[in-house]
Amino acid sequence: MHNHIIVTSLPKSGTMFVNASLVQTLQYENFTVTVRGHVPAEIIDPVALFNFVNAPKAITQTHMAANHENLFFLKKFGLRKMVLLVRDPRDALVSFYWNMERPGVIRLQWPQYTLMASGTISEDYYSLTKEQ
């Protein structure tokens, strides 16, 4: 029998911590099944999801939205359950704030963060040339 765990949540909700804890505790193989876009633009990579479901013990963490495409692939591959990690959005915002205050974190203005978080622009948008 195959065992698969998908942990999903809003960013800065402890998803990576829970995922790492489960990987160590359960000895599951860690996978990435989404194309890393900006929330809510993360989408499932069908090839990565195929590899995930064919592993005997697999876990993944994501911030993907429950959009039509993602739900279609989850259903198509027989994945009907996932762990939804819920954190008070106010706590997630405080965590985001302190994360941005760490040394070495790129300083951008809030309007730019909003555009990135909505998937309107990519994180490297401001370093692209005109041709790109």
Side-chain angles (χ1 to χ4, degrees):
M1 176 171 186
H2 293 269
N3 296 305
H4 306 92
I5 301 173
I6 300 173
V7 180
T8 189
S9 73
L10 291 173
K12 306 312 298 168
S13 295
T15 319
M16 291 179 70
F17 172 77
V18 169
N19 185 70
S21 298
L22 290 172
V23 166
Q24 283 190 327
T25 305
L26 301 174
Q27 299 298 304
Y28 275 35
E29 185 177 353
N30 195 23
F31 281 82
T32 299
V33 298
T34 56
V35 176
R36 296 287 182 201
H38 295 285
V39 176
E42 280 191 13
I43 57 170
I44 289 178
D45 174 354
V47 174
L49 191 61
F50 176 82
N51 293 332
F52 174 77
V53 298
N54 285 300
K57 291 171 42 174
I59 188 168
T60 187
Q61 69 90 24
T62 179
H63 303 303
M64 70 179 162
N67 61 32
H68 176 73
E69 292 81 11
N70 289 338
L71 294 174
F72 169 81
F73 283 119
L74 291 172
K75 185 176 180 181
K76 189 77 169 168
F77 283 92
L79 298 167
R80 305 210 185 280
K81 295 181 182 179
M82 66 175 50
V83 176
L84 176 61
L85 182 59
V86 179
R87 183 177 188 184
D88 184 327
R90 296 169 293 188
D91 290 335
L93 186 58
V94 169
S95 179
F96 176 76
Y97 171 80
W98 287 111
N99 182 59
M100 299 315 297
E101 289 297 310
R102 291 180 310 139
V105 174
I106 298 172
R107 301 282 184 238
L108 297 173
Q109 300 299 317
W110 280 104
Q112 293 168 328
Y113 287 128
T114 304
L115 290 172
M116 288 180 187
S118 68
T120 305
I121 62 172
S122 67
E123 68 183 55
D124 62 346
Y125 176 82
Y126 294 99
S127 63
L128 296 174
T129 65
K130 286 182 181 180
E131 293 77 29
Q132 294 173 312

